[in-house]
Amino acid sequence: MIRHILVRARLGAALWAAAVFGFPVAVTAAPAEIAVIIDDLGYRYAEGQCAIALPGAVTLAILPHTRFGAGLARAAHASGKEVMVHLPLQPADASANPGPGALWLDMDREQFHAALFTSFAAVPHAAGVNGHKGSLLTRHPGHMAWLMSALRRHGGLFFVDSYTTASSVALQLAEEFDLAAGRRDVFLDSDPDPEAIRLQLRRLRALSLQRGFAIAHPYPATLEILETALPVLAEDGIRLVPASGILRHAKTAAAPRDGG
C-alpha cells in the first residue's frame, strides 16, 4: 500500500510539476531527489506485485507476519527495490488493532525485543523501519529508546517516523542513537478523492522547497497519479532514490498532523 513520498528540498522540475500539479514551477540549479515508500504491503499479493512493478527505485514497507509479506520482500529485493519493515505500533485508539507483531506499551523490555526481532525476521532484506499506526507508543521515550537501540544492534537500520501524532518523540530518539532517520510532512491522500490528492500534491510542492516528507495510502487514484508522474522524473532532472538515500537530506522542522 502506498504510504510515503519523501521529497528532497529544492525541486527543480518544471515539466513534471506542470504534469502533476497543472502549472509550471521555476527550475532551480540544484538537482532534486525523490524517495517513494509504499507501505501496508503483505496482506494482498496482487497489490504487492503492482508495487514492485512501479518504475524506479521505490521503497516497499512490508507488514510482518502477513500471508505474502516474506515472499514480497524477497521479490522486491530481487527486483532491486529497497525493503522496510512496516512495524505495527500501539495507536491511541484502543479499538484499533495494528496487527500481528505489534509493540505495546504494557510490554516489558524482554517482551518488546522478542516481538521486535521476530518481526525483523519476518521481513527479509529489510534496510529500515517505519511505523504502522503508533500514535500512542511513539509518545513514550522509554519504548522509543528500546526501539532505536534495537535498530542499531540489528545492523543500524534507518527509521522513518510516520508522525501520526505531534507528540511523537521517535525521531528525536532515533537521532540520539545516531540512526539515519526522518519523518513525513504531508499525508498525501488522507482523502482518497483524486482532486484532494492533487491538492495535497500542490501542498507538497510548496513544502518541498523547504523540506519534503509525505505519506500516501494505496488508493487507485494515487497509484494512477504516481504511475504517470514517476517515469517523467528523469526527463526533468529528478532522481528517484531509495528511502535510505534521501534521509541525509531530511529536515526535522515540525510537520502538521493531518492524517493517521
Side-chain angles (χ1 to χ4, degrees), residues 209-242:
L209 300 175
Q210 307 166 43
R211 57 188 197 271
F213 282 76
I215 297 178
H217 300 87
Y219 303 129
T222 312
L223 278 169
E224 183 178 351
I225 290 169
L226 288 178
E227 287 169 350
T228 301
L230 292 181
V232 183
L233 295 175
E235 299 174 18
D236 298 318
I238 301 176
R239 290 200 311 132
L240 183 64
V241 300

Side-chain angles (χ1 to χ4, degrees), residues 52-134:
I52 292 171
L54 280 172
V58 297
T59 299
L60 308 187
I62 297 173
L63 289 159
H65 315 299
T66 50
R67 181 178 179 185
F68 301 109
L72 288 172
R74 294 187 183 97
H77 179 74
S79 73
K81 300 290 196 288
E82 188 166 70
V83 175
M84 299 176 66
V85 181
H86 192 37
L87 187 65
L89 305 174
Q90 184 175 353
D93 181 357
S95 66
N97 186 347
L103 301 179
W104 300 92
L105 199 58
D106 62 0
M107 286 178 165
D108 62 29
R109 188 165 188 168
E110 183 177 352
Q111 294 169 325
F112 189 96
H113 281 157
L116 180 59
F117 284 101
T118 300
S119 290
F120 289 164
V123 182
H125 307 294
V129 168
N130 67 335
H132 176 59
K133 300 188 183 294

